[in-house]
Every structure is written in C-alpha cells, then in structure tokens.
Amino acid sequence: MHLNDIAREIRKTIIATANKSKSPHVGSALSCVDILTTLYFETLKLDPWEERDIFILSKGHAALALYCVLSRRGIIDKRLLDGYYQNNGTLPAHLDRFTAKGVEVSAGSLGHGFNIGLGIAYGLKKKKENRKVYVLIGDGESQEGSIWEGALFASKLCIDNFTAIMDYNNLQGYGRPNEICSFEPVADKWKAFGWDVYQVDGHNFAEISHALQQPNHQKPKIIIAKTIKGKGVSYMENELKWHYFIVTDELRDKAILELGKAANTHQIT
C-alpha cells in the first residue's frame, strides 16, 4: 500500500477516535500524519525492537496521531484506541511512556521531549550504538527557551545521530506564531546554531523521505516541514478552532466521506 493510502486510513482512524472520545487537538494530529507515516513505514529501524531507532513526539498534545500510527504499524493493539481519552481508559490525551509500547517518553509540556531525545541520542553515541533518534516538535513549541538551549548543546557535542522535524503548520493555541512570538527567519536561526537544515513540504512523502535520508555532517539535523493544521479534511484545514473543537457525529461522517472520495480520485493528501 502506498504511503498516501496508509496516511489516509490513519486520518480516518483519528477522526473516528476523536469523535468517540470527544477529544480536542484533532487539527494538531492531522497536520503531522504524513511525517509520522514516512517515519514509521519507511525510515525507522524497528526490528529487532531492542535495537530500534527512537522516535519522540515532543508536541505531546498530538498524541492521537502517534497512537493511530502505532496501531496501524502493528506496534500496539488497535483495541487500545477504544480507551483513548476515557476515564480509567488505556491511552491519555498527552503521552505517558508507561501506557503503551512505542511511547518512548511522557510529553505534553512543550520543549521537554526535544531535550530528552538529545540526551538519549548522546547516550547512544557515547555507547557507540548504531541507533538514531528522531523528535517531532511543533512550531509554537520552538518558542520555548529550552529548545534553543538544547540546540546549542547538540551542535557543541556534534550529536549527529539526531534529527528534529518541525511540524510548521503556522497555528498554535492562540493564533499565528508571528502574532505571538515570531521565530523567523527560522531556518537561518537553526543554521546559526550549527545544525544541518532542510525545508520540505510536510505533506509530500518524497520530500520528507529525501530529507530524512540525508546524512548528518557531524552535526544534528532539523527538517522544517511546512504543513497545514487539519490536513485532509477541508473544513478543518488552516482553522485555529480545530486546536480545540470536538468532532460531532455529523462532522465525523462528513470527514470520513471526504477522505473516502479522496481515495477514489487518488487525490494527494
């Protein structure tokens, strides 16, 4: 199955699960689906599990996206999704590493997962283990000072087994990043901090894959992926309210129908 088809099915699962759980952060989950699909179905070394590459979702409020990808990849039982965002359920709205296989760290407090990932990567490098660490951060998350402390730390220590991906959907909890605390020119900032920098369309599998495959030149790498919040569902796309809104039965049916039509017309998500 093509990555595009896998991502579309994952989006359907996100919509259905969000509807059942009456949970927020749907737009945030949809924006990073293509990035996660490329990582889990093409890039990450996962076998044997004890020697796997590490992926950390630092923007932990998009946990539903990771759960649905882990389920689709066969890493967790899909029945765990039934307990998402439920009292005494199986999977919390923000990541808790003790809840499921493949959840490497607890995340949700922004700026933490990134630095935990750097620590893991540095430890693996010191032990001369041939494993890589990938961390997905949000664009709003990059306003956290801890991100830039970690960026300095990583380049100073030449942590070249580490790749960060920024889900740059240009929306955060209260508006556009440039309205709140602008970080542009973001690519130049990361370059100045000593990182290899790539900029891609975060919904183009070939571009994402190509950037992930590029070697690290004795330094950490960041991929700035331009994405659309709510990608794949037209009425959610680029709408701030889908950081919070709930998927009703009517909106669920509308979204699933649209995603189904996209599959029939081979539309690129």
Side-chain angles (χ1 to χ4, degrees), residues 4-5 8-9 12 258-267:
N4 190 59
D5 298 318
R8 187 181 297 106
E9 292 303 311
K12 289 181 182 179
E258 183 176 335
L259 288 164
K261 287 181 177 178
N264 293 332
T265 59
H266 303 288
Q267 179 178 324

Side-chain angles (χ1 to χ4, degrees), residues 235-267:
Y235 64 82
M236 294 184 182
E237 289 187 355
N238 204 30
E239 291 286 345
L240 175 60
K241 64 185 180 183
W242 283 103
H243 197 86
Y244 305 104
F245 268 33
I246 304 302
V247 180
T248 64
D249 291 352
E250 180 182 0
L251 291 174
R252 174 203 59 200
D253 294 344
K254 184 178 179 181
I256 297 296
L257 179 62
E258 183 176 335
L259 288 164
K261 287 181 177 178
N264 293 332
T265 59
H266 303 288
Q267 179 178 324

Side-chain angles (χ1 to χ4, degrees), residues 129-234:
E129 292 192 29
N130 186 28
R131 300 167 65 188
K132 297 179 180 179
V133 178
Y134 300 82
V135 176
L136 182 67
I137 64 174
D139 49 359
E141 182 177 8
S142 72
Q143 296 162 352
E144 299 282 353
S146 56
I147 293 288
W148 299 104
E149 292 179 29
L152 286 170
F153 168 84
S155 59
K156 170 65 176 177
L157 297 179
C158 302
I159 304 179
D160 55 2
N161 58 341
F162 183 90
T163 297
I165 307 109
M166 180 188 291
D167 180 10
Y168 194 165
N169 61 30
N170 197 32
L171 277 172
Q172 58 187 103
Y174 296 101
R176 304 288 180 188
N178 65 2
E179 299 169 344
I180 297 167
C181 186
S182 180
F183 43 68
E184 291 291 357
V186 66
D188 291 341
K189 283 185 171 68
W190 284 95
K191 288 176 184 176
F193 274 63
W195 288 55
D196 280 334
V197 180
Y198 297 86
Q199 298 185 73
V200 303
D201 176 347
H203 302 301
N204 184 306
F205 297 104
E207 289 188 22
I208 299 167
S209 179
H210 177 75
L212 287 168
Q213 291 172 13
Q214 296 308 299
N216 294 48
H217 301 100
Q218 295 187 315
K219 60 178 69 174
K221 175 171 67 179
I222 184 165
I223 300 168
I224 300 169
K226 294 291 184 72
T227 59
I228 299 171
K229 200 179 191 82
K231 178 65 177 177
V233 180
S234 60

